[in-house]
Amino acid sequence: MFKRLKLKTRMILVLGLVSAIQTGIIGGFAWYYLSASLDEQIGQRALNVAKTIAATPDIIRGVQARDVESLNQLSQKLANTNDALFIVIGDHNSIRLAHPNPERLGHSMADDDGDDGSIALIDGQGYVNKALGSLGLSMRGKAPIYDMVGEEIIGIVSVGYSLDQVRSTIARYNLVLYLVMAVMLVGSVAVAIIIAGRFKRAIFGLEPEQIARLFEERDATLQSVREGIIAVNREGIITTINRTAVDSLGLESDKPLAGRPIAEVLPDSGLMAALERGEPEFDQEIWLQGRHMIVNRLPVKQGANIIGVVSSFRLRDELDQISRQLTRIQQYADTLRSQTHEYSNKLHTIAGLIQIGATEEAMALIGSEVHDHQTLIHLLLDAVPDPVLAGCILGKYNRAREMGQTLVIDPDSHMADVPVQLPRDQLVSVLGNLIDNALEATRRHRGEGGQVQLSMTDLGLDLIFEVEDQGPGISAEEEARMFEKGVTSKTDSGHGFGLYLVRQFVERWGGSVTVENLAAGGSRFTLYLPKQPLNPMGAAQ
């Protein structure tokens, strides 16, 4: 039944019940303390009055003379003066000499409360006790009576105050106490309602069961994501880490990592620096645990305060693999599109020549087409035995013809000694970017009929590719920024990444790329790739 209630209702009931119990305990303690305090005060008052009466000369003389009449009159007067319930005076044998009830005179004081007064009569000490006597429950103070010189105990005085007076006093205080307890209880319930409301808002109005489900869903989501995810709080303590992160970074899977400092688990993660900067970082390339990573870091804010950082990352080779697949598909598509367009035009031309009876011209065109392709294919087979690189060059050759340009391949080119560890897809991507840029620059500057020249050599310790265009050349300002990301001479969007990717690959492989203007116009890009890379791990990524 209780679990069916909403969280706010449950919190109000629990906090209200706790407050009621606390209020009851405090009220009970206050009542007990008040009662005990009043008893103590009444007892102390009775003892003080008893000591004062015991030192009164008339009382001392009356006890010595056993003047019962004068002692009774005096005790009654003193009782009225001090608002006492009674004042009883006894001799050194504890025999009553004065008592409000005359019938009890001459009897032992012990028959009233069982106390023979030995503490006062023998030890000479005053004391307080609570007893139920013939006049009711009372708090009594008893003191010894000494003779005039103060040496011999000649009697005892007992002063009693009715505890009914204490109870009536407590009853008057109880009303105030109950009001205070009621106000405390109402105030506690009000505070409980406020706390429950704020707590409910803090958890976005969710019920505990919903929070549990969301937590399970979040955990399942984190574990299903193929990217590694790590979150730390403002102290740099790991709060969240998924299985992909553990596996990708080669961390110890048999030890719990949540709750440990990120500086201890991953000293070079950069999360603490991101926490201090408070700025998001996207697609950052870093080396972590000997692995090339693409990392995103996003600060977590609560209002204006940064309370942590979440980082997601993937292995660079996974992204490169996807990029390489897309590049290869695009190259195949460009090649097929170029060949389809070109051969469609040639077939239409041949068909027209045949229809008008110009069979010799049709045969000459067919022979020229076959001769050009056969010459290029033989050159590629001899100079470039690698099928991926040869396919790239053939595709760019057809692409040039589609654009109305000519890709001229140096017949003395030779590219057979390509290292096995050199990623072919990245090589053709870099070379393809250089050729595409050369074709675009030539077409914009010369129009149709322009030429782009490609020469290749694998002699020596480097693979060298030279791409010459007939464009406008490269200015000093363009040369300084042309390899930066997003920098392009084209006016439409989506460009400025080709040369940036070229530089990224070349730097990882340990090579270089240079650009120079030609005397006859245009520019030459020269790509140097060492056969033994300086950073094979980085290039392999």
Side-chain angles (χ1 to χ4, degrees):
M1 181 63 181
F2 184 75
K3 291 183 178 181
R4 296 179 182 177
L5 299 176
K6 291 188 175 181
L7 176 62
K8 185 175 181 179
T9 305
R10 279 186 274 175
M11 289 186 66
I12 293 173
L13 289 176
V14 170
L15 292 176
L17 179 60
V18 171
S19 299
I21 293 174
Q22 290 178 339
T23 303
I25 293 174
I26 293 173
F29 175 78
W31 180 88
Y32 172 79
Y33 180 79
L34 177 62
S35 178
S37 179
L38 287 175
D39 284 352
E40 183 180 357
Q41 291 180 16
I42 293 297
Q44 192 63 39
R45 180 181 179 185
L47 179 59
N48 291 336
V49 172
K51 288 181 178 181
T52 301
I53 293 173
T56 304
D58 291 342
I59 296 296
I60 296 173
R61 286 192 294 268
V63 173
Q64 287 178 333
R66 300 186 69 85
D67 187 353
V68 175
E69 183 177 353
S70 63
L71 288 174
N72 276 279
Q73 291 176 357
L74 187 57
S75 65
Q76 186 63 42
K77 181 180 179 180
L78 291 172
N80 294 333
T81 302
N82 291 280
D83 295 327
L85 178 63
F86 61 83
I87 294 178
V88 177
I89 301 173
D91 61 12
H92 65 283
N93 292 319
S94 192
I95 301 299
R96 296 187 185 93
L97 299 177
H99 193 279
N101 187 356
E103 295 180 357
R104 290 187 171 269
L105 295 174
H107 297 284
S108 174
M109 295 173 64
D111 63 6
D112 189 27
D113 55 7
D115 181 15
D116 59 3
S118 59
I119 296 177
L121 293 172
I122 297 175
D123 299 334
Q125 298 178 0
Y127 62 98
V128 176
N129 73 336
K130 183 190 296 186
L132 179 61
S134 60
L135 298 179
L137 185 64
S138 61
M139 185 66 71
R140 305 176 180 190
K142 296 184 179 183
I145 302 173
Y146 286 88
D147 58 12
M148 287 298 184
V149 296
E151 294 180 354
E152 182 182 356
I153 297 176
I154 61 174
I156 184 173
V157 176
S158 176
V159 178
Y161 283 88
S162 174
L163 289 182
D164 292 337
Q165 297 174 338
V166 177
R167 300 295 173 258
S168 63
T169 302
I170 293 175
R172 290 197 303 271
Y173 282 111
N174 279 345
L175 179 59
V176 178
L177 184 61
Y178 292 150
L179 286 175
V180 172
M181 292 174 62
V183 171
M184 289 178 60
L185 182 59
V186 172
S188 299
V189 172
V191 171
I193 294 174
I194 294 173
I195 293 175
R198 291 187 175 181
F199 183 79
K200 189 74 172 179
R201 289 193 296 272
I203 59 175
F204 305 101
L206 299 174
E207 296 297 316
E209 295 78 10
Q210 294 175 312
I211 295 175
R213 285 198 300 271
L214 287 176
F215 180 80
E216 293 175 354
E217 291 173 2
R218 188 211 67 160
D219 188 63
T221 301
L222 287 175
Q223 300 304 329
S224 64
V225 171
R226 293 188 63 187
E227 287 194 353
I229 296 177
I230 298 178
V232 300
N233 60 18
R234 69 180 69 191
E235 288 78 25
I237 304 300
I238 298 175
T239 57
T240 300
I241 182 168
N242 66 351
R243 173 58 59 180
T244 305
V246 175
D247 295 340
S248 299
L249 297 172
L251 301 176
E252 298 178 355
S253 58
D254 57 339
K255 294 182 180 179
L257 299 177
R260 295 175 59 185
I262 188 66
E264 175 186 322
V265 179
L266 292 171
D268 301 325
S269 66
L271 287 177
M272 295 306 297
L275 187 64
E276 294 178 2
R277 288 192 298 269
E279 298 294 334
E281 300 173 351
F282 300 102
D283 299 330
Q284 300 292 313
E285 294 188 29
I286 66 171
W287 283 91
L288 194 60
Q289 297 288 95
R291 294 168 170 82
H292 199 182
M293 299 284 183
I294 303 296
V295 177
N296 300 305
R297 304 184 185 97
L298 186 65
V300 180
K301 295 185 177 180
Q302 189 176 52
N305 299 321
I306 299 175
I307 61 174
V309 175
V310 176
S311 175
S312 63
F313 51 88
R314 294 191 70 172
L315 291 171
R316 174 62 189 265
D317 57 357
E318 293 182 6
L319 298 177
D320 285 347
Q321 182 178 4
I322 296 173
S323 176
R324 289 193 293 267
Q325 291 174 350
L326 292 176
T327 300
R328 188 176 297 175
I329 292 172
Q330 183 179 3
Q331 290 174 347
Y332 289 158
D334 288 344
T335 300
L336 291 175
R337 180 170 55 83
S338 299
Q339 289 180 343
T340 300
H341 182 73
E342 181 182 359
Y343 284 119
S344 176
N345 293 333
K346 295 292 178 63
L347 288 175
H348 290 160
T349 302
I350 293 172
L353 291 173
I354 293 175
Q355 288 177 355
I356 64 176
T359 56
E360 292 184 3
E361 288 80 358
M363 293 299 296
L365 180 60
I366 294 172
S368 174
E369 185 67 24
V370 172
H371 178 269
D372 291 343
H373 275 81
Q374 288 297 324
T375 301
L376 176 62
I377 290 173
H378 283 300
L379 173 61
L380 293 176
L381 288 176
D382 293 337
V384 188
D386 188 286
V388 177
L389 182 58
C392 172
I393 296 173
L394 180 60
K396 296 305 176 184
Y397 177 84
N398 293 323
R399 170 68 173 163
R401 297 188 62 175
E402 181 187 3
M403 296 172 64
Q405 311 294 315
T406 302
L407 176 61
V408 179
I409 301 173
D410 187 349
D412 296 328
S413 294
H414 191 268
M415 188 58 61
D417 191 16
V418 180
V420 176
Q421 67 268 31
L422 178 62
R424 298 303 193 269
D425 43 10
Q426 294 194 29
L427 174 61
V428 298
S429 176
V430 168
L431 182 60
N433 276 318
L434 293 178
I435 295 174
D436 286 339
N437 287 341
L439 291 172
E440 288 287 344
T442 301
R443 184 176 67 173
R444 288 198 308 270
H445 188 64
R446 295 287 299 271
E448 293 190 4
Q451 285 189 355
V452 172
Q453 295 186 2
L454 170 65
S455 63
M456 302 170 287
T457 179
D458 57 358
L459 299 177
L461 301 177
D462 296 327
L463 305 179
I464 302 175
F465 299 86
E466 290 184 352
V467 179
E468 297 181 2
D469 61 49
Q470 295 179 337
I474 306 295
S475 66
E477 181 181 355
E478 290 175 331
E479 185 177 352
R481 301 184 63 244
M482 63 189 309
F483 291 102
E484 295 180 8
K485 188 176 184 179
V487 175
T488 178
S489 59
K490 301 181 180 65
T491 57
D492 52 337
S493 60
H495 299 283
F497 296 95
L499 292 179
Y500 169 76
L501 294 176
V502 169
R503 187 187 67 174
Q504 291 293 309
F505 169 73
V506 170
E507 288 180 351
R508 290 201 306 273
W509 188 258
S512 63
V513 58
T514 62
V515 58
E516 58 182 324
N517 290 321
L518 301 175
S523 57
R524 177 190 296 126
F525 283 81
T526 305
L527 176 65
Y528 299 90
L529 296 175
K531 296 178 181 179
Q532 297 296 327
L534 299 177
N535 187 13
M537 182 179 292
Q541 299 297 325

